Amino acid sequence: MTEDFLYLLRVRYSECDSQQIVFNAKYVEYIDVASMEYFRKVFGDYKNLLKKGVDISVVNVNVSWKSPATYDDIIAMTFKLKKIGNTSITYSIGFSNFKTKEEVAIGEITYVMVSIQEFQKTAIPTEIREQLETGATGVVNHAGIKI
């Protein structure tokens, strides 16, 4: 299991609310986008998961805020595998300000493995479980900054 995946994004003006901070619902969107990049690294291509006749579906997502993020901040998101069950996978996601290192939020997301044909939950196949346990490394830099 690895914790070496980092996703970087730059807060866009349209993501801020009237208080000039990132609107709370955007954090779930950030988790979704970063998760797909994470899974793209885990499986080589997300389509490789689908070719095995399974997919993942979100069943729970939570966010707790620690400090605000504002327009043009660079948010660093780190993923940590928290639990793999028989049919589910849970990750904790840390949000921090890339420049100041200040903690912005903590998220958690749980997926359930589903069969593509019946769209019913199914046990995680051994090969996929091994890929999930190995995890992903590297950086996906959608912020466009030098690191």
Side-chain angles (χ1 to χ4, degrees), residues 93-108:
I93 300 110
F95 294 80
S96 63
N97 181 303
F98 184 74
K99 183 177 178 182
T100 67
K101 309 299 184 222
E102 182 176 16
E103 184 178 41
V104 173
I106 299 169
E108 184 174 286

Side-chain angles (χ1 to χ4, degrees), residues 76-110:
M77 297 173 62
T78 56
F79 280 68
K80 180 179 180 182
L81 177 62
K82 188 171 180 181
K83 178 185 175 191
I84 296 182
N86 186 44
T87 61
S88 66
I89 313 115
T90 301
Y91 291 92
S92 61
I93 300 110
F95 294 80
S96 63
N97 181 303
F98 184 74
K99 183 177 178 182
T100 67
K101 309 299 184 222
E102 182 176 16
E103 184 178 41
V104 173
I106 299 169
E108 184 174 286
I109 189 163
T110 301

